[in-house]
């Protein structure tokens, strides 16, 4: 749509003659910078909680069943494959719900396919207790969080914070 013929003249009459040209140049420059900034700004990728933004390929550690306390091969966000093996041997039925086990010191995070409505469910409590037993066998403090499935936003279904805790959530919303 083309502006009416009288509009530029009307704008020019509202401003003093010495200001019209610098004001137009300034507005054009600012508009150009905004367009360049918008064009060059990348969009942020989707991020899963507890995961790095950039996935770097890491070597797979060799998981040998052992009862000695071991530290994960990486400092944070380390997949604990030995925990998955422990789940499969200790409670195969509940282990079917395990999708990923990650050690974020001092917490063992168990990601499942369970829905968010399964807070304090028998399956969630069994996964929590099995995770606590796994940590105790390895001489670690039994701090375990069992998370629901991804599409529900990974809410906590059961957790154990210390030796006295029974894995049940205090108040479930």
């Amino acid at each position: 749509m083309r502006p009416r013929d009288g509009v530029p003249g009307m704008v020019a009459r509202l401003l003093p003659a010495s200001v019209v040209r610098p004001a137009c140049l300034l507005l054009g420059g600012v508009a150009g910078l905004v367009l360049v900034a918008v064009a060059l700004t990348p969009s942020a990728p989707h991020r899963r909680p507890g995961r790095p933004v950039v996935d770097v390929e890491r070597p797979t550690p060799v998981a040998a069943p052992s009862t000695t306390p071991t530290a994960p091969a990486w400092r944070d966000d380390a997949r604990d494959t030995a925990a998955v093996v422990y789940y499969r041997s200790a409670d195969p039925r509940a282990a079917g719900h395990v999708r990923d086990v990650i050690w974020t010191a001092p917490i063992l995070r168990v990601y499942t396919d369970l829905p968010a409505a399964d807070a304090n469910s028998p399956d969630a409590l069994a996964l929590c207790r099995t995770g606590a037993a796994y940590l105790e066998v390895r001489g670690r403090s039994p701090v375990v969080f069992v998370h629901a499935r991804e599409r529900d936003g990974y809410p906590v279904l059961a957790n154990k914070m210390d030796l006295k805790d029974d894995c049940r959530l205090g108040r479930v919303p």
Side-chain angles (χ1 to χ4, degrees):
M1 181 174 171
R2 220 177 101 186
R4 291 186 282 162
D5 292 334
V7 173
M10 186 184 337
V11 172
R13 278 181 278 171
L14 292 174
L15 297 172
S18 62
V19 178
V20 172
R21 182 179 274 281
C24 289
L25 290 173
L26 178 67
L27 288 174
V30 169
L33 286 175
V34 168
L35 287 174
V36 168
V38 168
L40 296 178
T41 304
S43 61
H46 173 70
R47 185 172 175 206
R48 181 174 162 189
R51 297 293 175 113
V53 173
V54 178
D55 287 334
V56 178
E57 192 171 322
R58 298 174 180 157
T60 306
V62 177
S66 172
T67 58
T68 59
T70 58
W74 311 289
R75 287 176 283 149
D76 287 330
D77 193 34
R79 286 180 178 79
D80 198 336
T81 55
V84 175
V85 171
Y86 186 87
Y87 270 105
R88 288 182 184 147
S89 65
D91 190 357
R93 187 190 64 76
H97 294 291
V98 175
R99 295 296 166 251
D100 204 1
V101 179
I102 297 176
W103 172 257
T104 55
I107 302 168
L108 185 71
R109 295 186 181 277
V110 182
Y111 292 95
T112 69
D113 63 355
L114 297 171
D118 278 4
N120 286 334
S121 69
D123 287 331
L125 294 174
L127 290 171
C128 180
R129 291 181 183 122
T130 303
Y134 165 76
L135 291 174
E136 288 174 2
V137 166
R138 279 151 180 76
R140 297 182 187 156
S141 178
V143 180
V144 181
F145 282 67
V146 177
H147 295 272
R149 61 189 173 197
E150 179 179 11
R151 71 174 167 203
D152 291 342
Y154 302 112
V156 176
L157 302 177
N159 69 343
K160 184 170 181 78
M161 299 300 290
D162 56 30
L163 288 170
K164 298 175 188 172
D165 197 352
D166 68 348
C167 286
R168 296 186 62 79
L169 296 177
R171 181 175 166 256
V172 179

